[in-house]
Amino acid sequence: MAYTTINKSTEHFNTKTYSGNGSTQSITGVGFQPDFTWLKQRTGTTWHNLYDSVRGATKAIASNDSGTEGTRATGLTAFDSDGFSLGSDSNANAGSGSTYTSWNWKAGGTSPEITYNVKVVSDSGNKYRFDDFGTSAVTLDLQEGGTYTFDQSDSSNSGHPLRFYTASDKSGGEYTTGVTTNGTPGSSGAYTRITVAASAPTLYYQCSAHAGMGGQANTNSLFGSSNFSGTAQSTVSVNTTAGFSIVKWTGTGSAVTIGHGLGAKPEIIIVKRLDSSSWTVYTDLIDASMDYLRLDTTAAKGDSSNPVPTNSVFQKNDTSSTTVIAYCFIPKIGFSKFGKYSGNANADGPFVYTGFKPSFVMIKKTNNTANWVIQDNKRPSTNPNNKWLYSNEPDAEYDASLYPMDLLSNGFKIKHGNGNYQNTSDTYLYIAFGQSLVGSNNVPCTAR
C-alpha cells in the first residue's frame, strides 16, 4: 500500500470561512502563509477574486469573468504568516451580515531554494548561460528570502568566477550580503550562493575577472524565481511536496514551452492571460490527448492543439507581450486527485474514490454545458453537503437539500441527479484536495 508523504494537508491547502466587517481585518487560522487565495462572498453576488504571491497582493482576477487583472487596493492587501489581510472591498470584506469563503494553497513559500547550472558560452564574447537555456546573460528574477546556488562545476566556467555587484560595470565594488562561494570555477563543487536579503537592491551578476559576461538580477518582494526549462523564460513558485506551482511568463505571439517546476507531468493547468481573455483549464484526463474547458463559462470541452505536458514543461501560444499566469497541479497520494466519472441521474449517484477525505471538490461536466460546482468541508461541516458555489458565476451560495454530496473518508458520493454533476451518461471532470486516509505517521482520518 502506498502512503502519503503529506501527513497534515492543512499545511498545504485549507478552506477558511470568515465574516466581513466593511473595514480592515486580518484573517488567521489558515495554517500557513498562502501563495494562492481564492475569495468568494457567500451571502452576496460579488465576483470571485483570485490573488497570488507571484502577481502580488491587491492584484485580482475573477474566475467568473474574462476581463483584465485589476488592482484592488482595498481587497486582499497582504499575505500573512497564518492567513491574509483585507481592506474594505466588497468582493473581499463587505459589512455586517456578509460571510465569505477562502480557498488557500501554498506554493514555494517565503524561502525557496533553487540551483542554476552555469555554463560560459561564446555569444558576442563570453557570456553566462543558465540550465542550457537558449539565451545568455538573461535578466534573473530572484525572490527576497530565497537561496540561489549558481553551480560553476562545468569546465567552461574556468577562470570566470560569478559574483554580484550593484552596478553592471562593477563600479562600487562587489556585493557580498548573504553571498558565499566555494571551490574553483570549472571544478567539481564550485558555486556562488546568495540568500537574497529583504529590500536588497537590484543586482548584477558578472565575472569578477572579465567585463560584460552577465546581466541584471531583479531582487523581488514578489514571489517566484526564474525557470529555464522551456523555450520561454518563466517565473515559478513551486511546492513539489504538494504538487502545486504558480507560473508567470510573457507571451511571444507563437507557441513556446514553459517550465512549471513540478518535476512531474501536471494533470490540471488553469491559465489566465492578464488582458481581456477567457480562462482555460487544460487536462489530458478526459481523453488521451489535451482538452480544454473554460473556467469562466459553462461551455463543453474542446480539443487542444497543445501536446500533453512533460515532467518539466507545457506548451502555450499567447499574444506577444501579454503577461500570463498559470496554476499547475499534479496528483499527490493522500492529498490531491483529479479524474473523471460518469453520472447516472439518480439519488444513488456515483461514488468517486480519492483515497483521502475530500475538503475541496470542484466538478465540471465535460461533454455538454454546465456550471463549475465547488463544494468544501467547511460549508457545512457535516454531511450531507448541500452548499455550493459556481466558479463561473458571481451568484451567492446555493443551499438546496435536493442536491447533496457526501464527503467520505476515502472519496465523495453524489446523492442526486442534478445535471451540473451527474446526468445519465454524461462525463464529469473533478478536482479534489483533502486529508490523508492513513499517512506515513499511521494516523487515520475518519468520515465526517
Side-chain angles (χ1 to χ4, degrees):
M1 178 180 177
Y3 291 97
T4 182
T5 56
I6 299 175
N7 294 316
K8 191 174 182 180
S9 62
T10 52
E11 293 180 347
H12 304 278
F13 169 81
N14 205 2
T15 299
K16 177 66 179 179
T17 59
Y18 62 93
S19 297
N21 67 6
S23 179
T24 61
Q25 63 172 320
S26 293
I27 306 303
T28 60
V30 170
F32 55 88
Q33 179 167 320
D35 291 300
F36 175 32
T37 294
W38 181 338
L39 304 175
K40 178 64 180 83
Q41 187 182 30
R42 302 170 62 188
T43 47
T45 58
T46 57
W47 284 13
H48 295 255
N49 272 194
L50 283 67
Y51 297 87
D52 64 68
S53 61
V54 174
R55 292 178 299 116
T58 76
K59 301 297 185 181
I61 44 181
S63 66
N64 56 283
D65 184 69
S66 62
T68 61
E69 175 188 73
T71 299
R72 307 191 74 89
T74 57
L76 188 151
T77 57
F79 294 100
D80 304 326
S81 60
D82 188 31
F84 48 89
S85 293
L86 300 170
S88 59
D89 187 283
S90 62
N91 288 293
N93 190 26
S96 178
S98 63
T99 60
Y100 291 81
T101 190
S102 69
W103 301 298
N104 302 274
W105 286 263
K106 180 180 179 180
T110 58
S111 52
E113 297 182 3
I114 308 291
T115 296
Y116 298 117
N117 293 311
V118 184
K119 291 182 180 179
V120 175
V121 300
S122 179
D123 182 5
S124 300
N126 285 332
K127 298 286 194 302
Y128 289 121
R129 187 167 290 191
F130 304 120
D131 294 342
D132 292 321
F133 188 60
T135 305
S136 53
V138 298
T139 297
L140 291 169
D141 283 313
L142 307 180
Q143 176 182 323
E144 291 179 8
T147 298
Y148 300 91
T149 300
F150 295 84
D151 186 337
Q152 288 201 277
S153 297
D154 188 82
S155 61
S156 65
N157 288 281
S158 180
H160 302 294
L162 185 152
R163 299 293 185 263
F164 290 96
Y165 303 86
T166 55
S168 59
D169 62 0
K170 299 187 284 189
S171 60
E174 186 176 334
Y175 179 86
T176 58
T177 302
V179 179
T180 57
T181 61
N182 185 69
T184 302
S187 301
S188 178
Y191 64 78
T192 293
R193 179 176 293 151
I194 180 170
T195 298
V196 181
S199 301
T202 298
L203 298 175
Y204 298 85
Y205 62 96
Q206 293 288 1
C207 174
S208 62
H210 305 93
M213 289 183 59
Q216 184 169 311
N218 297 324
T219 57
N220 303 317
S221 57
L222 298 177
F223 285 13
S225 311
S226 291
N227 180 287
F228 300 104
S229 296
T231 56
Q233 183 175 336
S234 58
T235 301
V236 177
S237 179
V238 59
N239 180 346
T240 55
T241 300
F244 171 55
S245 68
I246 305 170
V247 184
K248 184 176 72 172
W249 72 97
T250 301
T252 65
S254 59
V256 294
T257 56
I258 300 113
H260 52 70
L262 289 167
K265 178 180 73 68
E267 293 186 353
I268 301 290
I269 304 174
I270 303 173
V271 179
K272 178 71 175 77
R273 272 188 3 214
L274 300 186
D275 62 0
S276 184
S277 176
S278 189
W279 290 78
T280 310
V281 181
Y282 292 101
T283 184
D284 65 341
L285 295 173
I286 304 168
D287 301 321
S289 58
M290 287 294 280
D291 295 304
Y292 68 89
L293 294 153
R294 301 296 189 191
L295 187 65
D296 53 318
T297 78
T298 63
K301 68 101 172 170
D303 297 325
S304 172
S305 60
N306 293 331
V308 172
T310 71
N311 290 349
S312 58
V313 300
F314 58 91
Q315 181 173 295
K316 192 76 170 59
N317 185 344
D318 291 288
T319 304
S320 180
S321 302
T322 298
T323 303
V324 191
I325 198 79
Y327 308 109
C328 304
F329 301 91
I330 62 173
K332 289 290 185 175
I333 292 172
F335 173 71
S336 60
K337 195 169 190 297
F338 323 116
K340 63 181 180 180
Y341 66 87
S342 296
N344 62 15
N346 63 52
D348 186 20
F351 165 74
V352 178
Y353 176 80
T354 61
F356 54 83
K357 180 171 63 175
S359 54
F360 173 97
V361 178
M362 183 160 67
I363 293 170
K364 174 66 174 74
K365 185 191 297 186
T366 64
N367 59 308
N368 210 329
T369 58
N371 292 302
W372 290 81
V373 180
I374 305 176
Q375 295 181 266
D376 62 57
N377 65 342
K378 304 292 176 64
R379 306 171 301 113
S381 60
T382 59
N383 286 325
N385 191 311
N386 53 11
K387 297 181 185 293
W388 72 91
L389 293 158
Y390 294 143
S391 78
N392 54 289
E393 296 287 352
D395 299 2
E397 179 179 81
Y398 288 87
D399 183 354
S401 59
L402 292 175
Y403 308 138
M405 170 194 291
D406 282 349
L407 300 180
L408 306 172
S409 63
N410 59 352
F412 60 92
K413 169 87 170 168
I414 307 297
K415 303 292 290 291
H416 191 274
N418 176 271
N420 283 313
Y421 53 52
Q422 71 127 346
N423 269 342
T424 301
S425 301
D426 283 337
T427 301
Y428 296 81
L429 175 74
Y430 70 88
I431 297 170
F433 300 89
Q435 178 184 343
S436 58
L437 190 62
V438 179
S440 59
N441 58 1
N442 286 323
V443 176
C445 76
T446 59
R448 299 175 77 189

Short mmCIF file of all heavy atoms in Angstrom, two decimals, residues 319-374:
data_model
loop_
_atom_site.label_atom_id
_atom_site.label_comp_id
_atom_site.label_asym_id
_atom_site.label_seq_id
_atom_site.Cartn_x
_atom_site.Cartn_y
_atom_site.Cartn_z
N THR A 319 -0.60 35.95 -27.02
CA THR A 319 -0.33 37.22 -27.69
C THR A 319 1.00 37.81 -27.21
O THR A 319 1.32 37.79 -26.02
CB THR A 319 -1.47 38.21 -27.41
OG1 THR A 319 -2.69 37.63 -27.81
CG2 THR A 319 -1.25 39.51 -28.16
N SER A 320 1.75 38.34 -28.16
CA SER A 320 3.06 38.91 -27.83
C SER A 320 2.94 40.01 -26.78
O SER A 320 2.03 40.84 -26.82
CB SER A 320 3.70 39.48 -29.10
OG SER A 320 4.96 40.04 -28.81
N SER A 321 3.86 39.97 -25.82
CA SER A 321 3.99 40.97 -24.75
C SER A 321 2.88 40.92 -23.72
O SER A 321 2.80 41.79 -22.85
CB SER A 321 4.08 42.39 -25.34
OG SER A 321 5.17 42.51 -26.23
N THR A 322 2.02 39.91 -23.78
CA THR A 322 0.96 39.75 -22.79
C THR A 322 1.44 38.88 -21.63
O THR A 322 2.00 37.80 -21.84
CB THR A 322 -0.28 39.10 -23.43
OG1 THR A 322 -0.78 39.95 -24.45
CG2 THR A 322 -1.37 38.89 -22.39
N THR A 323 1.21 39.33 -20.40
CA THR A 323 1.56 38.53 -19.23
C THR A 323 0.51 37.47 -18.99
O THR A 323 -0.69 37.72 -19.09
CB THR A 323 1.69 39.43 -17.99
OG1 THR A 323 2.66 40.45 -18.24
CG2 THR A 323 2.13 38.62 -16.77
N VAL A 324 0.97 36.25 -18.66
CA VAL A 324 0.09 35.10 -18.48
C VAL A 324 0.41 34.46 -17.13
O VAL A 324 1.57 34.37 -16.73
CB VAL A 324 0.28 34.07 -19.60
CG1 VAL A 324 -0.84 33.02 -19.55
CG2 VAL A 324 0.32 34.73 -20.98
N ILE A 325 -0.64 34.00 -16.43
CA ILE A 325 -0.47 33.29 -15.16
C ILE A 325 -1.08 31.91 -15.28
O ILE A 325 -2.10 31.73 -15.96
CB ILE A 325 -1.10 34.07 -13.98
CG1 ILE A 325 -0.55 33.59 -12.64
CG2 ILE A 325 -2.62 34.03 -14.04
CD1 ILE A 325 0.80 34.14 -12.30
N ALA A 326 -0.45 30.91 -14.67
CA ALA A 326 -0.98 29.54 -14.68
C ALA A 326 -0.85 28.93 -13.29
O ALA A 326 0.14 29.17 -12.58
CB ALA A 326 -0.25 28.68 -15.70
N TYR A 327 -1.85 28.13 -12.92
CA TYR A 327 -1.83 27.35 -11.69
C TYR A 327 -1.79 25.88 -12.11
O TYR A 327 -2.72 25.39 -12.75
CB TYR A 327 -3.07 27.66 -10.85
CG TYR A 327 -3.25 29.15 -10.60
CD1 TYR A 327 -4.28 29.86 -11.22
CD2 TYR A 327 -2.37 29.85 -9.77
CE1 TYR A 327 -4.44 31.23 -11.00
CE2 TYR A 327 -2.51 31.20 -9.55
CZ TYR A 327 -3.56 31.90 -10.17
OH TYR A 327 -3.70 33.25 -9.96
N CYS A 328 -0.71 25.20 -11.76
CA CYS A 328 -0.44 23.84 -12.25
C CYS A 328 -0.50 22.85 -11.09
O CYS A 328 0.05 23.11 -10.01
CB CYS A 328 0.94 23.78 -12.89
SG CYS A 328 1.21 24.96 -14.23
N PHE A 329 -1.11 21.69 -11.36
CA PHE A 329 -1.32 20.70 -10.30
C PHE A 329 -0.96 19.31 -10.79
O PHE A 329 -1.32 18.91 -11.90
CB PHE A 329 -2.78 20.69 -9.86
CG PHE A 329 -3.30 22.00 -9.34
CD1 PHE A 329 -3.89 22.91 -10.19
CD2 PHE A 329 -3.20 22.31 -7.99
CE1 PHE A 329 -4.38 24.12 -9.71
CE2 PHE A 329 -3.68 23.52 -7.50
CZ PHE A 329 -4.27 24.43 -8.37
N ILE A 330 -0.26 18.57 -9.94
CA ILE A 330 -0.07 17.13 -10.14
C ILE A 330 -0.70 16.42 -8.95
O ILE A 330 -0.78 16.97 -7.85
CB ILE A 330 1.42 16.74 -10.29
CG1 ILE A 330 2.21 17.08 -9.01
CG2 ILE A 330 2.04 17.40 -11.50
CD1 ILE A 330 3.63 16.56 -9.04
N PRO A 331 -1.20 15.19 -9.13
CA PRO A 331 -1.82 14.48 -8.00
C PRO A 331 -0.78 14.01 -7.01
O PRO A 331 0.34 13.65 -7.37
CB PRO A 331 -2.51 13.30 -8.70
CG PRO A 331 -1.70 13.05 -9.93
CD PRO A 331 -1.22 14.40 -10.38
N LYS A 332 -1.16 14.02 -5.74
CA LYS A 332 -0.32 13.51 -4.67
C LYS A 332 -1.14 12.55 -3.82
O LYS A 332 -2.22 12.90 -3.34
CB LYS A 332 0.21 14.65 -3.80
CG LYS A 332 1.26 15.51 -4.48
CD LYS A 332 2.57 14.76 -4.65
CE LYS A 332 3.65 15.62 -5.22
NZ LYS A 332 4.96 14.92 -5.28
N ILE A 333 -0.62 11.34 -3.64
CA ILE A 333 -1.34 10.33 -2.87
C ILE A 333 -1.72 10.88 -1.50
O ILE A 333 -0.91 11.47 -0.80
CB ILE A 333 -0.48 9.06 -2.71
CG1 ILE A 333 -0.30 8.36 -4.06
CG2 ILE A 333 -1.10 8.09 -1.70
CD1 ILE A 333 0.68 7.21 -4.02
N GLY A 334 -3.00 10.71 -1.15
CA GLY A 334 -3.47 11.14 0.15
C GLY A 334 -3.73 12.62 0.30
O GLY A 334 -4.11 13.08 1.37
N PHE A 335 -3.57 13.39 -0.80
CA PHE A 335 -3.76 14.84 -0.71
C PHE A 335 -4.56 15.40 -1.87
O PHE A 335 -5.46 16.22 -1.66
CB PHE A 335 -2.40 15.54 -0.64
CG PHE A 335 -2.51 17.04 -0.71
CD1 PHE A 335 -3.02 17.78 0.35
CD2 PHE A 335 -2.07 17.74 -1.85
CE1 PHE A 335 -3.12 19.16 0.28
CE2 PHE A 335 -2.17 19.11 -1.92
CZ PHE A 335 -2.69 19.83 -0.85
N SER A 336 -4.27 15.01 -3.09
CA SER A 336 -4.97 15.56 -4.25
C SER A 336 -5.19 14.47 -5.30
O SER A 336 -4.36 13.58 -5.47
CB SER A 336 -4.19 16.73 -4.86
OG SER A 336 -2.90 16.32 -5.28
N LYS A 337 -6.32 14.57 -5.98
CA LYS A 337 -6.64 13.62 -7.04
C LYS A 337 -7.55 14.31 -8.05
O LYS A 337 -8.45 15.07 -7.68
CB LYS A 337 -7.32 12.37 -6.50
CG LYS A 337 -7.34 11.20 -7.48
CD LYS A 337 -7.78 9.91 -6.79
CE LYS A 337 -7.59 8.70 -7.69
NZ LYS A 337 -8.40 8.76 -8.91
N PHE A 338 -7.30 14.03 -9.31
CA PHE A 338 -8.06 14.61 -10.41
C PHE A 338 -8.45 13.48 -11.35
O PHE A 338 -7.68 12.55 -11.58
CB PHE A 338 -7.21 15.64 -11.15
CG PHE A 338 -6.33 16.45 -10.24
CD1 PHE A 338 -4.94 16.37 -10.32
CD2 PHE A 338 -6.88 17.26 -9.26
CE1 PHE A 338 -4.12 17.09 -9.47
CE2 PHE A 338 -6.07 17.98 -8.40
CZ PHE A 338 -4.69 17.90 -8.50
N GLY A 339 -9.65 13.55 -11.89
CA GLY A 339 -10.09 12.47 -12.77
C GLY A 339 -11.46 12.76 -13.35
O GLY A 339 -11.93 13.90 -13.38
N LYS A 340 -12.12 11.70 -13.80
CA LYS A 340 -13.44 11.84 -14.39
C LYS A 340 -14.33 10.70 -13.90
O LYS A 340 -13.85 9.67 -13.43
CB LYS A 340 -13.35 11.82 -15.92
CG LYS A 340 -12.83 10.52 -16.51
CD LYS A 340 -12.75 10.60 -18.03
CE LYS A 340 -12.23 9.29 -18.62
NZ LYS A 340 -12.15 9.34 -20.09
N TYR A 341 -15.64 10.92 -14.01
CA TYR A 341 -16.62 9.88 -13.68
C TYR A 341 -17.84 10.09 -14.56
O TYR A 341 -18.02 11.14 -15.18
CB TYR A 341 -16.99 9.92 -12.19
CG TYR A 341 -17.73 11.15 -11.75
CD1 TYR A 341 -19.12 11.25 -11.85
CD2 TYR A 341 -17.04 12.25 -11.22
CE1 TYR A 341 -19.80 12.39 -11.44
CE2 TYR A 341 -17.71 13.39 -10.81
CZ TYR A 341 -19.09 13.46 -10.92
OH TYR A 341 -19.76 14.58 -10.53
N SER A 342 -18.71 9.07 -14.60
CA SER A 342 -19.95 9.14 -15.37
C SER A 342 -21.13 9.22 -14.42
O SER A 342 -21.16 8.55 -13.37
CB SER A 342 -20.10 7.91 -16.27
OG SER A 342 -19.07 7.88 -17.25
N GLY A 343 -22.14 10.02 -14.77
CA GLY A 343 -23.32 10.17 -13.95
C GLY A 343 -24.36 9.11 -14.23
O GLY A 343 -24.31 8.41 -15.25
N ASN A 344 -25.35 8.98 -13.31
CA ASN A 344 -26.47 8.06 -13.54
C ASN A 344 -27.82 8.72 -13.28
O ASN A 344 -28.87 8.06 -13.37
CB ASN A 344 -26.33 6.79 -12.70
CG ASN A 344 -26.35 7.07 -11.21
OD1 ASN A 344 -26.74 8.15 -10.75
ND2 ASN A 344 -25.89 6.10 -10.41
N ALA A 345 -27.83 10.02 -12.91
CA ALA A 345 -29.04 10.83 -12.79
C ALA A 345 -30.03 10.33 -11.73
O ALA A 345 -31.23 10.52 -11.87
CB ALA A 345 -29.75 10.93 -14.14
N ASN A 346 -29.54 9.70 -10.67
CA ASN A 346 -30.47 9.33 -9.59
C ASN A 346 -29.84 9.57 -8.22
O ASN A 346 -28.68 9.95 -8.12
CB ASN A 346 -30.95 7.88 -9.75
CG ASN A 346 -29.82 6.87 -9.63
OD1 ASN A 346 -29.06 6.88 -8.68
ND2 ASN A 346 -29.73 5.97 -10.61
N ALA A 347 -30.65 9.35 -7.20
CA ALA A 347 -30.22 9.68 -5.84
C ALA A 347 -29.10 8.77 -5.34
O ALA A 347 -28.37 9.14 -4.42
CB ALA A 347 -31.40 9.59 -4.88
N ASP A 348 -28.99 7.60 -5.93
CA ASP A 348 -27.87 6.72 -5.62
C ASP A 348 -26.79 6.95 -6.67
O ASP A 348 -26.54 6.12 -7.54
CB ASP A 348 -28.32 5.25 -5.61
CG ASP A 348 -27.22 4.32 -5.14
OD1 ASP A 348 -26.27 4.80 -4.49
OD2 ASP A 348 -27.30 3.12 -5.44
N GLY A 349 -26.19 8.11 -6.60
CA GLY A 349 -25.23 8.51 -7.61
C GLY A 349 -23.89 7.84 -7.46
O GLY A 349 -23.68 7.01 -6.57
N PRO A 350 -22.95 8.21 -8.33
CA PRO A 350 -21.65 7.55 -8.31
C PRO A 350 -20.85 7.89 -7.05
O PRO A 350 -20.96 8.99 -6.50
CB PRO A 350 -20.96 8.10 -9.56
CG PRO A 350 -21.65 9.39 -9.83
CD PRO A 350 -23.07 9.20 -9.41
N PHE A 351 -20.06 6.93 -6.61
CA PHE A 351 -19.05 7.15 -5.59
C PHE A 351 -17.72 7.31 -6.30
O PHE A 351 -17.36 6.49 -7.16
CB PHE A 351 -18.98 5.99 -4.61
CG PHE A 351 -17.74 6.00 -3.75
CD1 PHE A 351 -17.62 6.90 -2.71
CD2 PHE A 351 -16.70 5.11 -4.00
CE1 PHE A 351 -16.47 6.93 -1.92
CE2 PHE A 351 -15.55 5.12 -3.21
CZ PHE A 351 -15.44 6.04 -2.17
N VAL A 352 -16.98 8.35 -5.94
CA VAL A 352 -15.66 8.61 -6.55
C VAL A 352 -14.60 8.41 -5.48
O VAL A 352 -14.59 9.11 -4.45
CB VAL A 352 -15.59 10.03 -7.13
CG1 VAL A 352 -14.21 10.29 -7.72
CG2 VAL A 352 -16.67 10.22 -8.21
N TYR A 353 -13.73 7.46 -5.70
CA TYR A 353 -12.67 7.14 -4.75
C TYR A 353 -11.50 8.11 -4.95
O TYR A 353 -10.99 8.27 -6.06
CB TYR A 353 -12.19 5.71 -4.95
CG TYR A 353 -11.02 5.33 -4.07
CD1 TYR A 353 -11.22 4.98 -2.74
CD2 TYR A 353 -9.71 5.35 -4.57
CE1 TYR A 353 -10.15 4.64 -1.92
CE2 TYR A 353 -8.64 5.02 -3.76
CZ TYR A 353 -8.87 4.67 -2.44
OH TYR A 353 -7.80 4.34 -1.62
N THR A 354 -11.08 8.75 -3.88
CA THR A 354 -9.92 9.62 -3.93
C THR A 354 -8.75 9.09 -3.10
O THR A 354 -7.60 9.48 -3.33
CB THR A 354 -10.27 11.03 -3.43
OG1 THR A 354 -10.70 10.95 -2.07
CG2 THR A 354 -11.36 11.67 -4.29
N GLY A 355 -9.05 8.24 -2.12
CA GLY A 355 -8.01 7.76 -1.21
C GLY A 355 -7.76 8.70 -0.05
O GLY A 355 -6.84 8.49 0.74
N PHE A 356 -8.57 9.72 0.09
CA PHE A 356 -8.48 10.65 1.21
C PHE A 356 -9.86 11.26 1.45
O PHE A 356 -10.76 11.14 0.62
CB PHE A 356 -7.44 11.75 0.96
CG PHE A 356 -7.64 12.51 -0.33
CD1 PHE A 356 -8.54 13.57 -0.43
CD2 PHE A 356 -6.91 12.18 -1.46
CE1 PHE A 356 -8.72 14.28 -1.60
CE2 PHE A 356 -7.07 12.87 -2.65
CZ PHE A 356 -7.99 13.92 -2.72
N LYS A 357 -10.01 11.94 2.57
CA LYS A 357 -11.24 12.63 2.89
C LYS A 357 -11.23 13.99 2.21
O LYS A 357 -10.45 14.87 2.58
CB LYS A 357 -11.38 12.79 4.41
CG LYS A 357 -12.66 13.52 4.83
CD LYS A 357 -12.90 13.47 6.33
CE LYS A 357 -11.83 14.15 7.13
NZ LYS A 357 -12.14 14.19 8.57
N PRO A 358 -12.07 14.21 1.20
CA PRO A 358 -12.01 15.48 0.47
C PRO A 358 -12.40 16.67 1.35
O PRO A 358 -13.34 16.60 2.13
CB PRO A 358 -13.02 15.29 -0.67
CG PRO A 358 -13.17 13.81 -0.82
CD PRO A 358 -13.02 13.28 0.58
N SER A 359 -11.65 17.74 1.20
CA SER A 359 -12.00 19.01 1.83
C SER A 359 -12.37 20.07 0.81
O SER A 359 -12.87 21.13 1.17
CB SER A 359 -10.86 19.51 2.72
OG SER A 359 -9.65 19.57 2.00
N PHE A 360 -12.14 19.77 -0.46
CA PHE A 360 -12.49 20.67 -1.57
C PHE A 360 -12.74 19.81 -2.80
O PHE A 360 -11.91 18.96 -3.13
CB PHE A 360 -11.35 21.65 -1.84
CG PHE A 360 -11.51 22.52 -3.07
CD1 PHE A 360 -11.99 23.81 -2.95
CD2 PHE A 360 -11.15 22.05 -4.32
CE1 PHE A 360 -12.11 24.62 -4.08
CE2 PHE A 360 -11.27 22.85 -5.46
CZ PHE A 360 -11.76 24.14 -5.33
N VAL A 361 -13.88 20.02 -3.45
CA VAL A 361 -14.19 19.29 -4.69
C VAL A 361 -14.76 20.30 -5.69
O VAL A 361 -15.70 21.04 -5.37
CB VAL A 361 -15.21 18.16 -4.46
CG1 VAL A 361 -15.54 17.46 -5.78
CG2 VAL A 361 -14.69 17.15 -3.44
N MET A 362 -14.19 20.32 -6.88
CA MET A 362 -14.72 21.13 -7.98
C MET A 362 -15.04 20.21 -9.15
O MET A 362 -14.22 19.35 -9.51
CB MET A 362 -13.73 22.22 -8.41
CG MET A 362 -14.28 23.12 -9.50
SD MET A 362 -13.42 24.74 -9.63
CE MET A 362 -11.80 24.23 -10.21
N ILE A 363 -16.24 20.37 -9.73
CA ILE A 363 -16.76 19.44 -10.74
C ILE A 363 -17.25 20.21 -11.95
O ILE A 363 -17.88 21.27 -11.81
CB ILE A 363 -17.91 18.60 -10.16
CG1 ILE A 363 -17.40 17.66 -9.06
CG2 ILE A 363 -18.62 17.80 -11.23
CD1 ILE A 363 -18.48 16.98 -8.27
N LYS A 364 -16.98 19.66 -13.15
CA LYS A 364 -17.47 20.26 -14.39
C LYS A 364 -17.85 19.16 -15.38
O LYS A 364 -17.05 18.27 -15.66
CB LYS A 364 -16.40 21.16 -15.02
CG LYS A 364 -16.77 21.72 -16.40
CD LYS A 364 -17.94 22.68 -16.33
CE LYS A 364 -18.22 23.37 -17.65
NZ LYS A 364 -18.85 22.46 -18.63
N LYS A 365 -19.09 19.25 -15.90
CA LYS A 365 -19.49 18.36 -16.98
C LYS A 365 -18.63 18.69 -18.20
O LYS A 365 -18.42 19.86 -18.53
CB LYS A 365 -20.97 18.55 -17.33
CG LYS A 365 -21.51 17.57 -18.37
CD LYS A 365 -22.89 17.96 -18.86
CE LYS A 365 -23.91 17.92 -17.76
NZ LYS A 365 -25.29 18.17 -18.28
N THR A 366 -18.13 17.64 -18.88
CA THR A 366 -17.19 17.89 -19.97
C THR A 366 -17.82 17.82 -21.36
O THR A 366 -17.35 18.48 -22.28
CB THR A 366 -16.02 16.89 -19.91
OG1 THR A 366 -16.53 15.55 -20.13
CG2 THR A 366 -15.32 16.95 -18.56
N ASN A 367 -18.87 17.01 -21.54
CA ASN A 367 -19.40 16.76 -22.87
C ASN A 367 -20.59 17.65 -23.21
O ASN A 367 -21.16 17.55 -24.30
CB ASN A 367 -19.81 15.30 -23.02
CG ASN A 367 -20.86 14.87 -22.01
OD1 ASN A 367 -20.68 15.09 -20.82
ND2 ASN A 367 -21.96 14.29 -22.47
N ASN A 368 -20.96 18.55 -22.29
CA ASN A 368 -22.09 19.43 -22.55
C ASN A 368 -21.96 20.64 -21.62
O ASN A 368 -21.10 20.69 -20.75
CB ASN A 368 -23.42 18.71 -22.32
CG ASN A 368 -24.53 19.25 -23.21
OD1 ASN A 368 -24.52 20.44 -23.56
ND2 ASN A 368 -25.47 18.39 -23.59
N THR A 369 -22.84 21.61 -21.82
CA THR A 369 -22.79 22.81 -21.00
C THR A 369 -23.22 22.52 -19.56
O THR A 369 -24.15 21.74 -19.32
CB THR A 369 -23.68 23.91 -21.59
OG1 THR A 369 -25.02 23.43 -21.68
CG2 THR A 369 -23.19 24.34 -22.96
N ALA A 370 -22.56 23.16 -18.61
CA ALA A 370 -22.89 23.03 -17.18
C ALA A 370 -22.02 23.99 -16.41
O ALA A 370 -20.96 24.43 -16.88
CB ALA A 370 -22.67 21.61 -16.69
N ASN A 371 -22.47 24.32 -15.21
CA ASN A 371 -21.67 25.16 -14.32
C ASN A 371 -20.54 24.37 -13.69
O ASN A 371 -20.59 23.14 -13.58
CB ASN A 371 -22.56 25.74 -13.21
CG ASN A 371 -23.58 26.73 -13.72
OD1 ASN A 371 -23.22 27.73 -14.34
ND2 ASN A 371 -24.85 26.45 -13.48
N TRP A 372 -19.53 25.11 -13.23
CA TRP A 372 -18.48 24.54 -12.39
C TRP A 372 -18.95 24.59 -10.94
O TRP A 372 -19.17 25.67 -10.39
CB TRP A 372 -17.19 25.35 -12.51
CG TRP A 372 -16.46 25.26 -13.81
CD1 TRP A 372 -16.74 25.94 -14.96
CD2 TRP A 372 -15.29 24.47 -14.07
NE1 TRP A 372 -15.83 25.63 -15.93
CE2 TRP A 372 -14.93 24.73 -15.41
CE3 TRP A 372 -14.53 23.58 -13.32
CZ2 TRP A 372 -13.82 24.12 -16.02
CZ3 TRP A 372 -13.43 22.98 -13.90
CH2 TRP A 372 -13.08 23.24 -15.24
N VAL A 373 -19.13 23.44 -10.31
CA VAL A 373 -19.63 23.35 -8.94
C VAL A 373 -18.46 23.22 -7.98
O VAL A 373 -17.57 22.39 -8.17
CB VAL A 373 -20.57 22.15 -8.77
CG1 VAL A 373 -21.08 22.06 -7.35
CG2 VAL A 373 -21.73 22.23 -9.75
N ILE A 374 -18.46 24.04 -6.92
CA ILE A 374 -17.42 23.96 -5.89
C ILE A 374 -18.08 23.69 -4.54
O ILE A 374 -18.98 24.42 -4.12
CB ILE A 374 -16.60 25.26 -5.79
CG1 ILE A 374 -16.00 25.64 -7.14
CG2 ILE A 374 -15.50 25.10 -4.73
CD1 ILE A 374 -15.26 26.96 -7.11
#
